[in-house]
Amino acid sequence: MSNKSEVIATENLIKTKKRSQGADVWRRLKKSPTAMIGLGIIILFLFMAVFAPMIADYDDEAIKMNIKERLQPPSSTHVFGTDEFGRDIFARIVWGTRISLFVGLISVSIALSIGGFLGAIAGYYGGRLDNAIMRVLDVLLAIPTILLAITIVAALGASVLNLMIAVGVSNIPGFARVVRAAVLSVKDEEFIEAARAIGANDFIIITRHVLPNSMAPIIVFATLKVASSIMGISSLSFIGLGVQPPTPEWGGMLASGRAYIRDYMYIVMFPGLAIVFAVLSLNLIGDGLRDALDPKLK
Amino acid sequence: MSEVILQVKNLKKYFDTPRGKLHAVDDINFSIEKGKTLGLVGESGCGKSTTGRVILRLLEATEGEVFYEGVNINELDYEGMRKLRKEMQIIFQDPFSSLDPRMTVSEIIEEPIKLNKIITDPKERFERVLELMDLVGLSRRLMNTYPHELDGGRRQRIGIARALALNTKFIVCDEPVSALDVSIQAQILNLLKELQRKLGLTYIFITHDLSVVNHFSDDIAVMYLGKLIEKAPAERLFTNPIHPYTKALLSAIPRPTLDKKVEKIILKGEITSPINPENNCRFSDRCNHAQDICRASEPPLEEVFPGHFVACHLFKE
Amino acid sequence: MSDKLLKIEDLVVHYITDDGVVEAVNGVNIGVDRGKTLGLVGETGAGKTTTALSIMRLIPHPPGKIVSGSIELEGTDLLSLKESRLEKIRGDVVSMIFQDPMTALNPVITVGDQIAEAIMIHQKVGQSKAAQKAREMLEIVGIPGNRAGEYPHQFSGGMKQRVVIAIALSCNPKLLIADEPTTALDVTIQAQVLELMKNLKDKFQMGMVLITHDLGVVAEVCDDVAIMYAGRIVEQGTLEEVFNTVKHPYTEGLFNSIPNIDDRRDKLKPIRGLMSDPYNLPKGCSFYDRCDYAMPVCETQKPPKIHFGETHFVECHLYQEQQDFKLNGGKE
């Protein structure tokens, strides 16, 4: 009888007591003002990306040329002014957010899944496999990221999809290295051996024990890489290899606006600021996460 | 004579290092009877932990055989080994690194049951986890805590519960108490002893601390640099040690008492490297009694009294 | 009273963390005489190391904070000294040996240079003089002087601990604080190092605070013993007093927890439960919930200090009424 009531009591406890480690990280992250500023900015961008259709009409304001209203300075109708084709710069930045964040996230996901997989098996199995994988990636790493991306886009042709592939592939070696290092630091822990002793196979050990315990550096690296991917996308678009006009993209806006920089500097200033804030906020979050995820700072 | 559960024959484990072959375990033989405890004693680097891991095939043996209930486990395939792992378990030294920090107490204890599909019904499995927690003296309210929120003694109890979650008959205890405070040490030792009595477990108890195995073991085997140098029933080993190293080891333990001071044997030097050892008595360079013969050839392990084995040239003379 | 080298009075140290205040040291009084060794015994979290670090004023701050009390070294109050004066004392008058010899040495500097460095900081001697002294120190701790040019990784654990001892003793300190100096070593090596420390203690005539959890080590090296529990000294006396006439139930529990190597049949009797949560120490005696002799008064009131003779005292309610109360040795 008393035994049964204890079982019920413990079942209740499951719901109340299970304080996840995510909550711990969040508690520590909240203490960093810079990370919170970064988080605020990025939430604003995300909001713009999700609700873009309600903020500005894509066809009407961001795409359609309107020569009558070209090169207007910021005003109440056009908060950020209009560009050389009379398009509303604010609307284009809002829609550009979608492209930048989406391409940034997807390309990092590509790099994370392929690089992460290669890094995990290289780190876990070690030996010759490790050598083979890492040496091939070292060759890739020797080529500057942006140059590699340019080469890939040049070979595949300029499109949003190819842009994602290019930025993603060029980030693979970096992710492989980070994941490999994280796996190496975990794989010799005794709980891995304990898992083997209870009959777990390699797949279970890697997915249930090794990877969850190496997440911290990977999350930090991924956050920082989204930022640098946004830079990469803008750079490629700036030199004409990325998103093609008239699709609104921050780097592309900079490129087309730079002819007017002397007289109408707001045309390049606002997309420039958008890039700066997006990259800065992600870097601030990344640094904050690095501290929050470090259990030694508890 | 009761039934032998585990027999180790000419077991060798060498590691390749840049400076040569490291003879971690070098040709050792012993056997354990069901329900008994063998204490495997030695200082760091003597190969005792490697022995424990080779027996469980967490490391592959270089040479030699390990028979568990008559089956040569070195010849088993992955599936066969997986079946055997339900009976052979290990308890680790470090209660901090041997538990996955991202899993809760109940998840850790549940994992082996789930993995080996012992109980498939989640509700029954949950009952079993609670039962195991009771068995090792872990309060049920701790089930959703994470290991880092608990002290060393409780963490070690989690490790013990995990080892018992399957149909465990045989456990390698690798220094299970050396990371714990003395008062907690005694709690865990008593728990292990009680579990042995209740469940009829067989233990290999690996430790550097002779006073711990004294309470615990039926037989004690002393290792030095990969070699088994003396093996005897515990009672006999403590009262009648023969090998000079065993004697020194026994005398070196600081005793918490002011009366009956034991004469200390202070050894010279430190453990030498087990890389490419020469063919001599491996203890000869530290031994206070070493003779020419000790430096010239390796003494074999011989039975000098019934059940008492020793590997020393000097005893014969 | 004999001449006191070190006197700590009513020391209180707190760690202030996000989760609350840890009362790590809670009113500790200890003294060390010149040339004598005090064993500070206790389990993890008892506050031994915090007490030792307070002597050198090395408590990490924040979160640590010496709240009150005084620490006098030969009559000088260390807690009121300026940081620059303290730096002169550290390593010169007071030295410290840490538990882990593997991390106490700088891996990229030769052991000879590490010893010489310690000498040159505190004594006005030239490089060659210091190097020569370093070699002498190595010889004293039993390492051939010609190994001075080698790097720490070329030494084994026991040898490294000898080097650490050589560094600690290089300036003839008056007080040596040794924090678990042999815990990381093998038994036969521990025996060697303990032997060495005993000899050096006599040779250098220094006072020593030996922090350990091992009563066996205490029996071999110490003159006086202080048993620490939850930030307080619960029993203190000379080695003979504490070992032969155990007064505090916790001390008794410690002795009963140690497997007796010379008697197999002796049953282990562990102390039940765990040390109280340092964030939330009980109102009365900290040992109350683990004590076999607990009385109602123990739960609500802090135990008084009861003296037995000049040097032996215990903090326990049991002796309040009857001075001649006897512990029953754990046998029911």
Side-chain angles (χ1 to χ4, degrees):
Chain A
M1 185 61 204
S2 69
N3 206 349
K4 194 162 188 182
S5 64
E6 204 189 328
V7 172
I8 294 163
T10 38
E11 272 171 349
N12 287 336
L13 255 153
I14 301 171
K15 281 153 203 132
T16 54
K17 176 74 203 205
K18 196 159 182 168
R19 186 172 78 167
S20 73
Q21 302 194 325
D24 260 6
V25 171
W26 172 238
R27 191 172 52 82
R28 272 175 279 150
L29 189 67
K30 266 199 301 199
K31 273 193 237 146
S32 155
T34 50
M36 293 325 283
I37 291 171
L39 199 65
I41 298 172
I42 208 69
I43 288 174
L44 200 70
F45 274 117
L46 281 173
F47 184 82
M48 289 196 329
V50 173
F51 295 105
M54 291 178 196
I55 301 168
D57 187 79
Y58 184 70
D59 286 329
D60 241 21
E61 296 181 67
I63 297 295
K64 206 169 90 187
M65 295 188 201
N66 189 352
I67 305 298
K68 265 188 287 175
E69 292 190 30
R70 69 191 290 261
L71 298 171
Q72 291 202 354
S75 64
S76 57
T77 37
H78 303 290
V79 235
F80 289 172
T82 57
D83 66 6
E84 72 275 20
F85 299 115
R87 296 173 296 200
D88 184 63
I89 293 178
F90 178 68
R92 286 178 68 76
I93 286 179
V94 169
W95 282 95
T97 312
R98 272 199 170 183
I99 304 268
S100 290
L101 289 186
F102 179 70
V103 178
L105 285 172
I106 296 293
S107 55
V108 164
S109 308
I110 294 173
L112 177 61
S113 42
I114 300 176
F117 173 75
L118 291 174
I121 60 171
Y124 185 76
Y125 290 103
R128 248 178 250 161
L129 184 66
D130 180 19
N131 253 325
I133 293 175
M134 293 322 284
R135 290 306 79 78
V136 171
L137 292 177
D138 278 348
V139 173
L140 278 182
L141 205 58
I143 307 166
T145 318
I146 193 76
L147 210 59
L148 187 61
I150 289 172
T151 319
I152 298 171
V153 176
L156 298 178
S159 75
V160 175
L161 179 71
N162 292 345
L163 186 65
M164 293 190 289
I165 294 174
V167 177
V169 169
S170 61
N171 277 328
I172 286 176
F175 273 96
R177 293 212 147 254
V178 169
V179 173
R180 177 176 172 272
V183 167
L184 278 181
S185 71
V186 181
K187 80 159 186 176
D188 285 330
E189 296 274 349
E190 267 182 347
F191 64 82
I192 302 298
E193 209 170 12
R196 194 166 295 133
I198 57 171
N201 58 29
D202 288 346
F203 180 74
I204 290 174
I205 291 176
I206 294 180
T207 52
R208 270 182 67 81
H209 297 286
V210 177
L211 285 180
N213 281 292
S214 21
M215 280 330 283
I218 300 174
I219 291 173
V220 173
F221 189 74
T223 313
L224 299 175
K225 272 295 161 192
V226 173
S228 71
S229 296
I230 290 177
M231 285 280 273
I233 295 154
S234 297
S235 310
L236 286 175
S237 300
F238 184 82
I239 56 176
L241 286 171
V243 180
Q244 296 302 309
T247 312
E249 201 284 334
W250 299 339
M253 289 167 75
L254 276 182
S256 60
R258 74 181 193 282
Y260 304 87
I261 194 164
R262 268 169 199 269
D263 304 312
Y264 309 98
M265 56 96 97
Y266 54 86
I267 295 183
V268 289
M269 187 177 80
F270 290 113
L273 281 177
I275 296 174
V276 167
F277 276 113
V279 172
L280 181 71
S281 63
L282 284 164
N283 279 328
L284 290 177
I285 296 171
D287 282 346
L289 275 174
R290 191 199 312 274
D291 293 344
L293 286 166
D294 185 354
K296 269 178 252 147
L297 290 170
K298 234 175 216 171
Chain B
M1 197 77 181
S2 71
E3 188 190 341
V4 168
I5 188 164
L6 185 97
Q7 193 175 18
V8 172
K9 272 190 181 163
N10 304 96
L11 192 66
K12 288 182 191 170
K13 175 69 191 174
Y14 298 165
F15 293 101
D16 282 318
T17 72
R19 286 184 294 149
K21 279 225 182 312
L22 187 147
H23 293 224
V25 177
D26 208 353
D27 201 1
I28 63 171
N29 294 282
F30 61 80
S31 61
I32 310 166
E33 286 166 24
K34 215 173 192 138
K36 299 276 169 127
T37 302
L38 173 76
L40 200 55
V41 184
E43 295 180 282
S44 45
C46 74
K48 54 189 192 304
S49 289
T50 309
T51 307
R53 281 166 172 71
V54 172
I55 289 172
L56 295 179
R57 258 182 91 183
L58 293 173
L59 289 173
E60 292 295 329
T62 308
E63 239 178 78
E65 288 118 36
V66 176
F67 294 96
Y68 177 79
E69 296 197 309
V71 182
N72 184 348
I73 69 158
N74 290 342
E75 284 170 2
L76 288 177
D77 59 3
Y78 182 82
E79 261 318 297
M81 202 54 223
R82 197 181 146 99
K83 284 204 187 86
L84 216 59
R85 288 204 197 286
K86 292 177 196 167
E87 296 186 11
M88 303 171 82
Q89 277 301 315
I90 179 164
I91 299 169
F92 293 92
Q93 165 175 11
D94 187 346
F96 290 86
S97 79
S98 61
L99 305 175
D100 189 332
R102 308 253 159 200
M103 290 167 89
T104 63
V105 172
S106 60
E107 282 167 357
I108 292 170
I109 301 175
E110 191 185 21
E111 194 185 17
I113 312 175
K114 218 169 167 177
L115 268 180
N116 291 289
K117 302 188 180 70
I118 307 275
I119 303 171
T120 40
D121 177 46
K123 214 162 198 155
E124 270 175 58
R125 204 157 55 208
F126 180 70
E127 288 292 318
R128 173 75 177 140
V129 170
L130 290 179
E131 209 179 283
L132 284 162
M133 289 180 74
D134 291 343
L135 186 66
V136 298
L138 273 174
S139 155
R140 291 181 169 197
R141 71 188 160 80
L142 297 175
M143 61 178 311
N144 284 317
T145 50
Y146 287 91
H148 68 88
E149 298 171 274
L150 303 174
D151 60 282
R154 288 218 182 98
R155 286 161 151 261
Q156 201 55 293
R157 285 176 199 266
I158 302 172
I160 295 172
R162 173 175 60 191
L164 293 174
L166 304 168
N167 311 316
T168 315
K169 292 182 186 162
F170 171 83
I171 303 183
V172 172
C173 308
D174 188 4
E175 305 251 20
V177 297
S178 52
L180 306 175
D181 274 320
V182 257
S183 72
I184 309 299
Q185 229 177 51
Q187 290 177 359
I188 298 294
L189 285 175
N190 283 354
L191 171 69
L192 285 172
K193 214 163 183 174
E194 191 192 309
L195 290 172
Q196 178 168 46
R197 206 176 46 236
K198 260 193 215 162
L199 308 172
L201 302 171
T202 309
Y203 291 140
I204 287 192
F205 200 92
I206 298 170
T207 180
H208 67 280
D209 188 346
L210 268 170
S211 51
V212 168
V213 277
N214 184 17
H215 271 259
F216 215 84
S217 312
D218 301 288
D219 287 301
I220 294 179
V222 183
M223 285 183 77
Y224 189 82
L225 281 179
K227 286 278 177 191
L228 202 68
I229 55 149
E230 186 161 7
K231 178 177 181 269
E235 184 89 53
R236 197 175 156 84
L237 191 97
F238 277 89
T239 47
N240 260 321
I242 294 173
H243 200 286
Y245 177 67
T246 315
K247 286 183 183 165
L249 204 58
L250 272 172
S251 82
I253 298 164
R255 285 156 171 80
T257 164
L258 299 182
D259 34 64
K260 56 172 178 186
K261 280 277 174 209
V262 179
E263 186 61 34
K264 283 230 160 174
I265 304 168
I266 303 280
L267 293 174
K268 20 177 201 185
E270 308 206 355
I271 289 192
T272 41
S273 147
I275 294 174
N276 298 334
E278 289 164 46
N279 180 26
N280 59 6
C281 172
R282 295 199 183 162
F283 185 57
S284 56
D285 51 346
R286 291 180 77 193
C287 184
N288 295 330
H289 310 282
Q291 316 267 314
D292 288 341
I293 179 173
C294 305
R295 295 180 199 100
S297 73
E298 198 178 299
L301 190 72
E302 285 172 314
E303 189 161 16
V304 290
F305 292 103
H308 193 161
F309 297 82
V310 71
C312 181
H313 287 301
L314 300 176
F315 181 72
K316 270 179 270 173
E317 285 153 27
Chain C
M1 265 323 239
S2 57
D3 66 331
K4 280 264 178 283
L5 177 65
L6 173 79
K7 205 159 110 189
I8 299 182
E9 277 181 348
D10 299 318
L11 182 71
V12 178
V13 184
H14 288 176
Y15 289 102
I16 296 146
T17 69
D18 291 343
D19 302 321
V21 176
V22 183
E23 300 173 17
V25 176
N26 244 327
V28 158
N29 294 283
I30 47 173
V32 180
D33 292 343
R34 240 172 264 281
K36 296 278 185 192
T37 298
L38 171 76
L40 198 55
V41 184
E43 294 178 88
T44 316
K48 301 167 290 183
T49 302
T50 304
T51 307
L53 289 174
S54 312
I55 301 172
M56 305 275 274
R57 260 181 50 199
L58 286 174
I59 302 271
H61 173 74
K65 188 167 186 285
I66 298 178
V67 178
S68 61
S70 75
I71 299 175
E72 283 182 11
L73 184 74
E74 298 186 297
T76 334
D77 185 5
L78 292 182
L79 294 186
S80 59
L81 283 186
K82 271 203 231 104
E83 185 64 27
S84 57
R85 282 271 293 129
L86 261 179
E87 277 165 15
K88 292 219 170 64
I89 290 176
R90 281 184 207 140
D92 188 19
V93 188
V94 186
S95 274
M96 194 153 180
I97 301 175
F98 294 95
Q99 174 174 354
D100 190 354
M102 309 304 159
T103 53
L105 296 171
N106 185 337
V108 295
I109 303 179
T110 65
V111 297
D113 285 352
Q114 294 194 48
I115 304 171
E117 190 188 355
I119 297 169
M120 284 195 292
I121 288 172
H122 294 291
Q123 293 173 3
K124 287 196 181 71
V125 293
Q127 203 144 32
S128 62
K129 194 88 187 297
Q132 191 198 336
K133 179 88 195 289
R135 276 194 296 279
E136 282 167 26
M137 287 311 302
L138 279 179
E139 299 273 356
I140 289 174
V141 296
I143 298 174
N146 57 19
R147 293 194 68 182
E150 291 180 23
Y151 289 90
H153 69 88
Q154 289 165 293
F155 289 79
S156 63
M159 296 291 243
K160 277 191 200 139
Q161 195 61 301
R162 284 168 194 263
V163 174
V164 172
I165 293 173
I167 293 174
L169 299 185
S170 57
C171 294
N172 294 337
K174 290 179 175 143
L175 178 68
L176 178 69
I177 301 167
D179 189 357
E180 306 259 9
T182 57
T183 308
L185 306 176
D186 275 321
V187 227
T188 59
I189 309 301
Q190 167 171 284
Q192 291 172 349
V193 172
L194 285 179
E195 190 75 12
L196 173 74
M197 287 180 68
K198 267 190 281 184
N199 295 339
L200 292 177
K201 191 183 80 174
D202 294 339
K203 190 167 172 178
F204 285 80
Q205 273 302 307
M206 61 191 171
M208 183 154 92
V209 179
L210 179 77
I211 296 170
T212 179
H213 66 276
D214 190 337
L215 284 166
V217 172
V218 172
E220 281 184 24
V221 191
C222 298
D223 304 296
D224 297 296
V225 188
I227 310 281
M228 209 165 171
Y229 187 80
R232 285 193 75 85
I233 306 286
V234 294
E235 179 164 6
Q236 187 174 355
T238 64
L239 186 66
E240 289 75 21
E241 285 165 346
V242 174
F243 273 64
N244 292 341
T245 54
V246 174
K247 293 291 185 190
H248 199 283
Y250 175 64
T251 317
E252 184 191 52
L254 275 185
F255 276 107
N256 285 340
S257 304
I258 306 169
N260 184 342
I261 184 124
D262 299 310
D263 185 3
R264 250 172 89 70
R265 280 163 297 278
D266 211 12
K267 208 172 161 346
L268 285 185
K269 191 171 176 298
I271 308 171
R272 62 193 149 92
L274 301 163
M275 195 181 295
S276 341
D277 182 3
Y279 286 104
N280 190 11
L281 288 178
K283 209 162 105 219
C285 175
S286 318
F287 192 57
Y288 166 74
D289 52 343
R290 303 179 72 186
C291 183
D292 286 339
Y293 307 93
M295 305 179 292
V297 63
C298 304
E299 191 182 356
T300 51
Q301 280 178 39
K302 288 264 176 256
K305 202 181 216 180
I306 310 241
H307 284 268
F308 305 89
E310 202 184 321
T311 47
H312 194 188
F313 74 81
V314 63
E315 279 191 349
C316 184
H317 283 295
L318 289 173
Y319 305 93
Q320 182 93 320
E321 314 276 280
Q322 19 171 182
Q323 273 270 358
D324 55 347
F325 181 87
K326 283 221 162 44
L327 299 179
N328 58 21
K331 290 160 200 92
E332 260 105 73

